[in-house]
Amino acid sequence: ESWLGVLFYLEHLLQREDDMSNHDVWKRVNELVLAALEKSPEEWPVFLETSCGGDLALRREVESLLTAETEALRRVDRPALELLAPEADPKGLRIGAYEVVREIGRGGMGAVYLAARADDEFQRQVAIKVLKPGMNTDDLVRRFRKERQILANLQHPNIAELYEGGHTEDHLPYIIMEYVEGEPIDHYCDRRSLNVRQRLELFRKVCSAIELAHRNLVVHRDLKPSNILVNSDREPKLLDFGIAKLLEPTSFGAPTVTAFGRRLMTPEYASPEQVRGEAITTGSDVYSLGVLLYLLLTGHPPYRLTHRTEAEIRRAICDQEPERPSLVIQRTAETLSADGSTTTRSPQKVSQTREGDPAKLRRRLAGDLDNIVLMSLRKETQRRYASVEQLSEDIRRHLEGLPVQACKDTFSYRAGKFLRRHVKEVAAAAVILALVLSFAVDRELQQRRIAQERDRAQQVSAFLIDLFQVSDPGEARGNALTAREVLDAGAASIERELRDQPELQAALMNTIGQVYRNLGLYAAAEPLLVGALEQRRRVYDRPHGDVVESLDQLAVLRMNQDNLAAAEDLHLEALATGRRLWGEEHPLFARVINNYAMVVREGGKLDDAEPLFRQALEIRRRLLGDQHPEVAESLTTLALLLRDKDELADAEALLRQALALRRKLLGEHPDVALTANFLALVLRDRGDLEAAEHLFREVLELRRRIQGDNHPDVASSANNLATHLVFRGELDAAETLFREAIEVFRSNLGEDHRYVVTAMHNLAVMLRDKGDFEAAEPLAREVLATRRQILGDHVLVASSINNLANVLRGQGRYEDAEPLFREALALCHQHLGDKHRHVATAIHNLAVLLHDRGDDASAESLARQAIEMRRDLLGDEHPALALSLSLLGSLRLRQGKTETAESLAREALEILHSKLPAGHWQIAEVESLLGETLVAQHRFEEAEPLLVAGFSTIRERNSQPELRDARRRLLTLYQAWGRPLPPFLDPVYGNAGPP
């Protein structure tokens, strides 16, 4: 009786085949029936409407066979029906060693269930895919087994793992796979409002999974959001290799053409060759990934579909060129989904879940991303990326600000296609254009312009001759004039000598103002740059490039003067004017964007600044090429931002590229020193102290040589080298450099400039490390008050709060220090997120305080967090990691776990010895801890030299918590050893034991 349903269906099938004399029609009906069976019955009406179009006879034949199939299933034997029928509750059914919890998916060929391990061996939830009764034909079973074998060969963190397979009691094949609890990648990105960078990083993980499949000669052929789920760990998982194609010649027989209606693909994500039934290659997956990337970045599909008929979809995929992503996001569109529903996408709605603003999203997508996506969607496979690896690599290069392989369609390619389509129209247009051009040359106007330029050049020449005549011995009368004096003379004579040439006057005022600014003479630069802008506003009664230049130069000066609000207003006006004049494809516009990004970064808005830096870099590369000083500038400023965001490896790579380019193009130049200075900072952050110090000294020497001793850049280098020397423990040399930097900054920038405050902050840190808390505390308080007043809610304020808290802790004032440490940590979290080296520092500092106060449980939790973050962010050989390891070792010692404590102390010491000079106070503190672990193990002779040396160094520094611990450890040693106290211990304690 179990076969009655099958026989009933076959009888009906054969009867209909006998009735149909046209073999092609019957083939088409059969294809549509098989395609419909891969769907649920609820989807059949919409599917038939789109697939059959207006062919009512075809639709009636398909519906009659589907009705027969439904009747057949009703007659199938009960056990299989109970397992797989839609109306049955599968809960509790056993499949292998697993018990079904619920159904999680169903199609025409089978169902997928969530199941749990039913025995007591271990606990695991899995997904079980089971073939549907009546569908276990030889062809479908072979396909099912092929999917199982494919999964067995693909081991990748972003591919759902195959656990095992087998057959049910009803001889239905099944696959047991990893259960992925997640949501489709497009929904995941939109619900969490991931920005473009985050979407690209997630997409690259998908590419990595596909790369593995291709290396195993497997083409997925059905890449779409529903087959890529993102779990709670933010990891995408690739599913459903049910229609994957093996590329091994021995794995299949004669090639077959897959009909469009059979749906061995998802048409919206299928490549042109899939739709046409041609050979499938890895390029097909590249195309499908391009469709997915288009959707993730824009929220729109690459093709506009009105009715979703087969003919329309085929025409769109094979012939229609997709719109550029940066343009498609600007339109409002309604998209027809496969289920018949419509989705409205507006610029505001799309950008809200990406970059927040339509204009910002358009700028982010324009350029590289436009080209990358469109190269993935080329109709011809040979013009797409040759592999998924190349696509992923181009995205990586884009994210790192490097050149990409994708390029725009060449003019010859596009022009050739256009000419072939419009031969007559182009020929007529060419004749008209030739006539227009022949009458367009106005010779009189050209000659007049030449005369004006000649007169202007003569006036400039006369001005410069008069200016430099003051250097003639007959004029100078024995007095040697400096370049600064010549410059001052020129600035004074501009208004007098060029009164009748306002354009030329403004140009020279702007130029000399820039020179003053580059010399660090901001007070002298201000009237010239302000005057140049005012003059140009009067001369030009319409938007003009000279006005844009003056706005930008004055804005840079305002930033140098620490007036960020004024700088931002000037830059925004410059951007608006430049955009009206040129659009965004102009070198000066790119310069304004880059300078504006610097203002935004200085204001602490790192996420807002990054796309601006990247946009400037993209424009400059397009217009100027890779070997240009302005490209080097963009690489440098972008790297500086990445350092702020703790992306140190990427920052170092960009800075090395920029430094090599600037050295090649500029030689010995202030810009070379600037980039080298930033590289030294990154090397220090990464723990490469020797290379950092060499570069710091090289930069300081270069700046002194080419900029003199009284320049803000020289003060900046002195400050940076001094900060490094504090890290190395060379405190006296550091103090001299700090005080020199403060004086130079004050003389050039004024008392309250942020550079002055930064150098004072660093001096306070040095005094704290030196143990001079009496001098450190008032200075730390002054810096904190100034930064709160100037910067408000800024991450630099957190640094000053943290410094004052450390000063108070060094004095043993724990109750005063703790709320400050907690405030600093909260501010770091607010501005830097949960994964940043400064956050790790704030966590470590609070843990040290809690350790001092005896709150070991809280201290240990924080110490572990600091260790994990520092290993991840800084590597295994950074001094900061050593301090956190030492702290955890001290906590372990208190718990009586002496061997663990010893191991942690030795690991910390090994790192510090490799990075810091002998006798450094941080080495002394860890040696003292190691000595205490040895005392606890009665290894007194090993412990004594460590404890004595540590005590001697720590006593010179005079930090109360560390000095108290070092003294206590020595007293404990001599008491446990039964020996008298040495004379160097403070006699006030006598033999009474440790305090």
Side-chain angles (χ1 to χ4, degrees):
E1 185 179 347
S2 64
W3 292 100
L4 286 178
V6 177
L7 292 174
F8 176 88
Y9 177 65
L10 289 174
E11 179 184 11
H12 186 87
L13 192 67
L14 292 171
Q15 180 181 351
R16 300 308 303 152
E17 186 174 10
D18 290 340
D19 292 344
M20 300 177 68
S21 57
N22 188 324
H23 178 74
D24 291 337
V25 173
W26 164 244
K27 181 180 178 182
R28 177 65 175 145
V29 169
N30 185 46
E31 291 168 351
L32 290 176
V33 169
L34 289 174
L37 290 176
E38 294 185 14
K39 298 176 170 296
S40 62
E42 292 78 9
E43 297 178 276
W44 288 351
V46 174
F47 169 74
L48 294 177
E49 179 69 28
T50 57
S51 299
C52 299
D55 193 338
L56 297 180
L58 175 63
R59 179 167 181 169
R60 281 196 297 271
E61 291 297 340
V62 175
E63 286 178 335
S64 68
L65 289 174
L66 290 174
T67 301
E69 190 271 349
T70 304
E71 177 63 24
L73 277 182
R74 280 197 292 268
R75 300 187 183 193
V76 173
D77 59 309
R78 197 60 196 167
L81 186 63
E82 286 178 350
L83 180 63
L84 295 171
E87 66 274 11
D89 182 5
K91 184 175 182 181
L93 293 173
R94 287 286 294 266
I95 301 178
Y98 294 87
E99 184 176 287
V100 172
V101 176
R102 68 174 188 275
E103 180 181 303
I104 55 177
R106 172 172 289 273
M109 288 177 56
V112 182
Y113 300 96
L114 172 64
R117 187 82 184 187
D119 53 28
D120 295 329
E121 294 295 324
F122 53 88
Q123 293 184 344
R124 173 190 280 170
Q125 283 194 325
V126 298
I128 303 181
K129 185 173 183 179
V130 187
L131 199 63
K132 189 176 180 180
M135 303 300 293
N136 51 341
T137 63
D138 290 345
D139 179 60
L140 294 180
V141 169
R142 274 197 304 271
R143 194 193 308 172
F144 203 82
R145 287 175 176 167
K146 183 179 76 172
E147 178 180 6
R148 189 163 64 192
Q149 186 57 51
I150 287 172
L151 286 173
N153 293 337
L154 301 182
Q155 299 295 317
H156 191 279
N158 298 115
I159 296 178
E161 183 180 356
L162 171 71
Y163 294 142
E164 57 183 287
H167 291 79
T168 67
E169 295 178 358
D170 302 300
H171 307 292
L172 300 174
Y174 65 79
I175 301 173
I176 300 179
M177 300 173 293
E178 174 187 359
Y179 171 57
V180 180
E181 187 171 5
E183 55 186 319
I185 188 170
D186 56 339
H187 295 167
Y188 177 89
C189 292
D190 288 346
R191 281 208 320 112
R192 288 159 180 79
S193 297
L194 300 191
N195 61 31
V196 169
R197 184 180 188 85
Q198 292 167 327
R199 290 168 186 255
L200 292 174
E201 290 170 346
L202 197 63
F203 180 78
R204 289 195 68 225
K205 292 184 177 181
V206 177
C207 290
S208 174
I210 298 300
E211 287 174 34
L212 176 74
H214 288 180
R215 286 196 297 271
N216 283 272
L217 303 179
V218 175
V219 182
H220 190 283
R221 294 205 296 179
D222 197 22
L223 295 171
K224 55 187 177 182
S226 60
N227 281 341
I228 305 168
L229 302 185
V230 184
N231 61 23
S232 58
D233 295 328
R234 303 177 184 178
E235 290 293 329
K237 291 283 187 176
L238 188 58
L239 312 175
D240 199 355
F241 281 81
I243 65 169
K245 181 179 181 64
L246 298 178
L247 297 179
E248 294 169 304
T250 58
S251 64
F252 54 88
T256 60
V257 175
T258 301
F260 183 85
R262 288 193 63 177
R263 300 276 292 196
L264 291 187
M265 59 179 145
T266 302
E268 294 88 338
Y269 294 87
S271 63
E273 59 269 22
Q274 281 180 281
V275 171
R276 291 192 294 260
E278 297 171 355
I280 304 300
T281 67
T282 55
S284 301
D285 280 350
V286 171
Y287 185 93
S288 298
L289 287 171
V291 178
L292 175 63
L293 183 58
Y294 196 106
L295 179 65
L296 292 180
L297 296 180
T298 70
H300 293 264
Y303 306 111
R304 304 184 191 184
L305 301 175
T306 305
H307 304 294
R308 295 183 57 83
T309 62
E310 176 184 335
E312 183 190 32
I313 294 174
R314 184 189 299 272
R315 186 167 52 252
I317 294 174
C318 296
D319 301 321
Q320 181 182 322
E321 291 294 338
E323 195 170 359
R324 300 183 74 82
S326 61
L327 297 180
V328 76
I329 59 146
Q330 298 181 81
R331 62 178 173 86
T332 299
E334 287 192 351
T335 303
L336 181 66
S337 302
D339 60 1
S341 62
T342 58
T343 302
T344 302
R345 296 176 173 88
S346 66
Q348 292 73 23
K349 186 175 180 181
V350 167
S351 60
Q352 185 178 10
T353 56
R354 286 161 178 82
E355 296 294 321
D357 175 71
K360 185 177 178 182
L361 178 59
R362 179 172 61 83
R363 291 194 301 269
R364 184 70 178 84
L365 299 181
D368 279 357
L369 290 178
D370 274 342
N371 296 331
I372 288 171
V373 173
L374 294 182
M375 185 168 176
S376 307
L377 294 175
R378 298 269 169 83
K379 307 299 181 187
E380 308 88 341
T381 55
Q382 67 273 17
R383 296 184 66 237
R384 288 179 216 146
Y385 286 102
S387 67
V388 175
E389 185 178 7
Q390 283 189 6
L391 167 60
S392 179
E393 173 63 11
D394 244 9
I395 293 173
R396 182 194 68 80
R397 295 179 67 83
H398 165 76
L399 291 174
E400 295 181 3
L402 302 173
V404 300
Q405 293 180 6
C407 58
K408 299 179 181 178
D409 285 349
T410 62
F411 175 80
S412 60
Y413 177 81
R414 293 168 58 201
K417 283 203 163 189
F418 182 84
L419 287 171
R420 285 193 291 273
R421 291 198 304 269
H422 306 285
V423 176
K424 295 180 180 179
E425 294 89 340
V426 170
V431 173
I432 295 171
L433 181 61
L435 291 173
V436 171
L437 289 176
S438 67
F439 293 101
V441 180
D442 188 342
R443 186 173 182 180
E444 182 64 26
L445 181 60
Q446 184 180 25
Q447 288 178 341
R448 188 177 304 169
R449 187 180 302 114
I450 292 171
Q452 289 175 343
E453 293 297 330
R454 182 186 64 240
D455 293 342
R456 181 173 177 175
Q458 288 173 348
Q459 286 184 303
V460 172
S461 176
F463 173 80
L464 293 176
I465 290 171
D466 291 342
L467 176 61
F468 288 105
Q469 273 183 341
V470 297
S471 298
D472 187 276
E475 296 291 333
R477 301 183 185 277
N479 297 319
L481 298 179
T482 65
R484 168 70 189 279
E485 290 170 323
V486 173
L487 196 63
D488 290 344
S493 63
I494 286 176
E495 184 176 357
R496 181 180 66 253
E497 301 294 336
L498 300 173
R499 188 172 301 158
D500 60 338
Q501 287 291 324
E503 292 182 44
L504 179 57
Q505 185 184 54
L508 288 172
M509 289 171 70
N510 187 71
T511 299
I512 296 179
Q514 288 183 58
V515 174
Y516 274 129
R517 194 193 69 224
N518 291 336
L519 289 171
L521 305 172
Y522 300 148
E526 181 170 359
L528 290 167
L529 293 177
V530 170
L533 176 59
E534 292 174 349
Q535 184 77 291
R536 284 171 165 174
R537 287 192 194 277
R538 285 193 296 268
V539 169
Y540 304 113
D541 57 356
R542 62 188 186 283
H544 195 280
D546 288 352
V547 175
V548 176
E549 181 186 30
S550 279
L551 287 166
D552 177 59
Q553 292 302 325
L554 183 56
V556 173
L557 175 67
R558 293 294 184 234
M559 183 182 70
N560 295 150
Q561 294 172 323
D562 225 16
N563 190 345
L564 298 184
E568 183 172 1
D569 290 342
L570 290 165
H571 272 136
L572 289 175
E573 183 182 352
L575 287 172
T577 305
R579 194 174 281 111
R580 287 199 301 273
L581 284 172
W582 316 298
E584 297 185 355
E585 295 296 304
H586 194 279
L588 181 53
F589 187 82
R591 185 193 307 166
V592 177
I593 292 175
N594 197 75
N595 290 338
Y596 173 52
M598 288 295 292
V599 174
V600 175
R601 172 192 164 271
E602 289 288 350
K605 302 174 183 176
L606 304 184
D607 289 337
D608 293 338
E610 183 171 358
L612 295 170
F613 281 125
R614 293 190 181 279
Q615 182 184 5
L617 177 60
E618 289 171 5
I619 295 173
R620 283 171 159 174
R621 276 189 165 140
R622 272 199 306 275
L623 299 179
L624 307 173
D626 289 331
Q627 302 294 310
H628 195 279
E630 292 189 18
V631 172
E633 179 190 33
S634 278
L635 291 170
T636 299
T637 52
L638 175 59
L640 186 59
L641 176 96
L642 295 179
R643 174 182 177 252
D644 293 339
K645 298 183 73 173
D646 222 22
E647 300 175 22
L648 300 180
D650 293 340
E652 181 181 344
L654 290 179
L655 286 169
R656 290 192 182 280
Q657 182 182 351
L659 182 58
L661 183 55
R662 278 184 156 169
R663 279 177 169 157
K664 173 184 175 183
L665 298 174
L666 304 175
E668 194 171 84
H669 191 277
D671 288 346
V672 173
L674 181 70
T675 301
N677 177 65
F678 292 150
L679 178 57
L681 290 171
V682 170
L683 292 173
R684 186 196 66 190
D685 294 341
R686 301 196 74 186
D688 191 350
L689 304 185
E690 184 176 347
E693 181 169 346
H694 173 77
L695 208 49
F696 278 133
R697 293 188 183 279
E698 179 185 331
V699 171
L700 179 57
E701 181 182 347
L702 175 61
R703 282 177 162 170
R704 287 194 193 279
R705 189 164 60 248
I706 62 180
Q707 294 175 289
D709 290 333
N710 192 39
H711 192 285
D713 287 351
V714 174
S716 177
S717 280
N719 174 76
N720 290 338
L721 177 57
T723 304
H724 181 77
L725 294 178
V726 170
F727 202 73
R728 299 275 295 174
E730 301 175 32
L731 303 184
D732 291 337
E735 183 172 359
T736 301
L737 288 171
F738 278 137
R739 296 194 184 278
E740 175 190 343
I742 290 171
E743 289 308 309
V744 174
F745 281 142
R746 278 178 173 156
S747 66
N748 285 276
L749 308 176
E751 187 68 34
D752 293 332
H753 194 279
R754 68 183 185 280
Y755 291 167
V756 176
V757 178
T758 296
M760 291 172 62
H761 167 89
N762 293 335
L763 177 61
V765 172
M766 186 279 305
L767 293 172
R768 182 199 77 202
D769 285 353
K770 201 173 184 179
D772 188 355
F773 297 108
E774 185 176 348
E777 182 179 351
L779 188 57
R781 290 190 182 277
E782 179 185 354
V783 168
L784 176 57
T786 305
R787 276 185 167 172
R788 283 195 195 275
Q789 180 182 356
I790 295 175
L791 301 175
D793 183 20
H794 194 283
V795 70
L796 288 177
V797 174
S799 177
S800 293
I801 294 171
N802 185 75
N803 185 38
L804 177 57
N806 268 320
V807 170
L808 297 175
R809 175 189 165 270
Q811 296 171 300
R813 295 158 61 183
Y814 301 142
E815 291 185 0
D816 295 334
E818 183 170 349
L820 291 172
F821 277 130
R822 294 191 183 278
E823 182 184 359
L825 177 57
L827 264 179
C828 286
H829 272 305
Q830 175 186 336
H831 289 284
L832 304 173
D834 296 332
K835 193 174 182 181
H836 195 282
R837 68 185 188 282
H838 294 333
V839 175
T841 298
I843 290 173
H844 171 85
N845 289 339
L846 179 58
V848 171
L849 178 81
L850 295 175
H851 166 272
D852 294 341
R853 299 197 67 173
D855 186 356
D856 289 3
S858 300
E860 180 173 347
S861 175
L862 292 173
R864 287 184 175 280
Q865 287 184 49
I867 289 171
E868 182 179 352
M869 291 178 68
R870 284 174 161 174
R871 279 197 196 279
D872 184 40
L873 296 171
L874 304 173
D876 293 331
E877 297 181 358
H878 198 282
L881 172 64
L883 301 184
S884 295
L885 291 169
S886 173
L887 174 60
L888 183 59
S890 180
L891 291 164
R892 283 283 174 267
L893 186 60
R894 287 186 183 179
Q895 297 165 1
K897 301 176 181 178
T898 54
E899 292 183 359
T900 304
E902 180 185 352
S903 175
L904 289 166
R906 290 191 184 279
E907 183 181 355
L909 265 182
E910 183 178 355
I911 296 171
L912 294 178
H913 279 306
S914 69
K915 298 294 183 180
L916 301 178
H920 194 283
W921 60 269
Q922 289 180 342
I923 292 177
E925 288 181 4
V926 181
E927 284 180 339
S928 179
L929 170 64
L930 177 58
E932 186 177 11
T933 67
L934 298 174
V935 170
Q937 300 174 65
H938 300 285
R939 294 155 63 183
F940 304 130
E941 291 185 359
E942 295 177 62
E944 184 179 24
L946 293 169
L947 291 172
V948 170
F951 176 79
S952 177
T953 302
I954 294 169
R955 183 166 56 179
E956 292 178 8
R957 182 167 175 259
N958 195 36
S959 177
Q960 291 303 307
E962 286 77 16
L963 182 58
R964 179 201 63 197
D965 285 343
R967 182 185 292 116
R968 174 184 55 79
R969 288 162 177 160
L970 263 178
L971 291 170
T972 302
L973 165 69
Y974 290 117
Q975 284 186 340
W977 205 358
R979 294 196 176 184
L981 296 178
F984 61 80
L985 278 177
D986 293 351
V988 68
Y989 295 107
N991 292 318

